[in-house]
């Protein structure tokens, strides 16, 4: 198999506004995610792109050379250009994998691909999160025990306004009592999409070994499986002799 080409996209705004976030992620949240991927997938080619770059670092050529894109955003969803969003959507339909992280549930690209509001309930109180594996045979859960915990996280709770996931890999429980479908898979066109919940910017979640393992597993799972070929606009040639009788 060819080496997996992963682009880690980061909004890169909190890191410059908050001393606390900057202390946890001095080179940016995207850099920590990329570091985890490089460590766990040494044969992969991992690069980063941010909102502030021309075309948000995602011009057509870059997307064409991307097998899997990861997406973290929160404060600046509205600043993401619609042309870029359309381009990312088109690449997903062709077969590019997409991993949407944490507050990326409200990103333009995720809402467009889901077709729903993607709303949820939340509370930022630094609660313990326990992520249960609900699909132990799934490749995204490889190397994870029955559950793992994050000592401090933002709570996301149901109802999560997404289409019924085609596969669910994790369900989270929070100290305050809520539960949430925290690892969900969908297919759109030829592309695989995974939403993974943890990753609030004021906690060191992307330094956590289990979180890194899940994101790396998801990148391998979301690898394109063949290229989508759009049917021609011309009438299809018959596979067998066909007549208009
Ligand atoms: Zn958050």
């Amino acid at each position: 198999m060819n080496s997996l080409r992963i682009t880690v996209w980061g909004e890169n705004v909190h890191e410059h506004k908050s001393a606390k976030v900057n202390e946890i992620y001095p080179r940016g949240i995207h850099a920590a995610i990329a570091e985890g991927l490089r460590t766990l997938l040494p044969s992969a080619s991992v690069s980063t792109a941010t909102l502030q770059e021309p075309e948000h670092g995602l011009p057509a050529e870059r997307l064409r050379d991307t097998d899997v894109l990861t997406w973290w955003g929160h404060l600046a969803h509205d600043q993401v250009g619609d042309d870029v969003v359309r381009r990312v959507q088109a690449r997903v339909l062709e077969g590019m994998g997409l991993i949407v992280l944490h507050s990326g549930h409200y990103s333009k690209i995720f809402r467009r691909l889901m077709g729903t509001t993607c709303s949820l309930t939340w509370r930022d109180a630094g609660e313990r999160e326990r992520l249960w594996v609900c699909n132990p045979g799934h490749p995204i859960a490889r190397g994870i025990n029955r559950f793992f915990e994050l000592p401090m996280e933002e709570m996301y709770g149901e109802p999560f306004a997404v289409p019924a996931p085609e596969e669910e890999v994790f369900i989270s429980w929070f100290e305050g009592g809520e539960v949430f479908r925290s690892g969900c898979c969908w297919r759109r066109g030829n592309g695989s999409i995974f939403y993974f919940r943890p990753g609030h910017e004021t906690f060191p979640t992307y330094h956590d070994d289990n979180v890194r393992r899940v994101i790396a597993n998801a990148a391998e799972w979301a690898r394109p499986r063949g290229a989508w070929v759009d049917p021609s606009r011309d009438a299809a040639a018959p596979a067998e002799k066909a007549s208009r009788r």
Side-chain angles (χ1 to χ4, degrees):
M1 252 187 257
N2 295 330
S3 114
L4 189 61
R5 300 164 301 176
I6 306 171
T7 301
V8 176
W9 191 85
E11 174 187 279
N12 194 32
V13 173
H14 283 286
E15 296 92 321
H16 302 285
K17 285 192 166 188
S18 155
K20 187 174 181 185
V21 177
N22 187 264
E23 192 181 326
I24 301 169
Y25 298 112
R27 293 183 300 121
I29 292 171
H30 51 285
I33 294 167
E35 181 187 82
L37 286 164
R38 288 190 187 108
T39 305
L40 291 167
L41 303 175
S43 66
S45 156
V46 181
S47 58
T48 63
T50 58
L51 176 70
Q52 296 78 18
E53 294 169 41
E55 300 186 68
H56 313 322
L58 299 174
E61 320 78 70
R62 181 78 180 278
L63 285 172
R64 199 169 49 232
D65 293 339
T66 295
D67 295 318
V68 177
L69 177 67
T70 76
W71 195 277
W72 195 101
H74 180 224
L75 287 177
H77 293 316
D78 289 350
Q79 292 174 36
V80 177
D82 291 331
D83 284 354
V84 172
V85 175
R86 273 193 290 273
R87 196 183 294 157
V88 172
Q89 180 195 23
R91 273 292 290 143
V92 170
L93 298 180
E94 273 178 5
M96 181 182 76
L98 179 68
I99 301 172
V100 176
L101 299 165
H102 188 60
S103 40
H105 72 93
Y106 266 154
S107 62
K108 286 182 179 177
I109 183 59
F110 188 59
R111 286 187 292 135
R112 175 183 282 254
L113 285 162
M114 295 293 109
T116 56
T117 64
C118 303
S119 62
L120 43 78
T121 61
W122 61 277
R123 175 175 60 244
D124 185 8
E127 293 167 62
R128 183 156 54 101
E129 175 176 8
R130 181 179 296 148
L131 291 100
W132 287 94
V133 174
C134 51
N135 193 343
H138 199 282
I140 297 179
R142 196 173 57 239
I144 304 290
N145 292 324
R146 288 172 67 216
F147 63 83
F148 69 95
E149 291 189 346
L150 297 166
M152 303 254 279
E153 253 295 347
E154 179 180 19
M155 184 283 291
Y156 277 8
E158 297 285 342
F160 185 18
V162 287
E166 290 158 35
E167 297 178 297
E168 288 179 18
V169 188
F170 299 101
I171 293 177
S172 284
W173 166 89
F174 293 87
E175 221 171 327
E178 285 87 351
V179 295
F180 187 76
R181 290 168 289 172
S182 53
C184 305
C185 306
W186 296 267
R187 296 268 295 168
R188 289 291 183 271
N190 214 36
S192 300
I193 301 167
F194 181 61
Y195 173 79
F196 189 44
R197 194 219 77 84
H200 189 63
E201 64 276 1
T202 56
F203 304 114
T205 299
Y206 295 117
H207 297 302
D208 180 87
D209 287 344
N210 287 306
V211 168
R212 288 182 164 199
R213 167 58 63 196
V214 170
I215 295 171
N217 287 347
E220 289 193 306
W221 167 83
R223 170 193 286 275
R225 294 176 242 174
W228 187 266
V229 180
D230 264 333
S232 151
R233 288 169 195 225
D234 300 331
E240 307 293 337
K241 191 167 189 293
S243 73
R244 289 174 186 265
R245 268 198 310 248

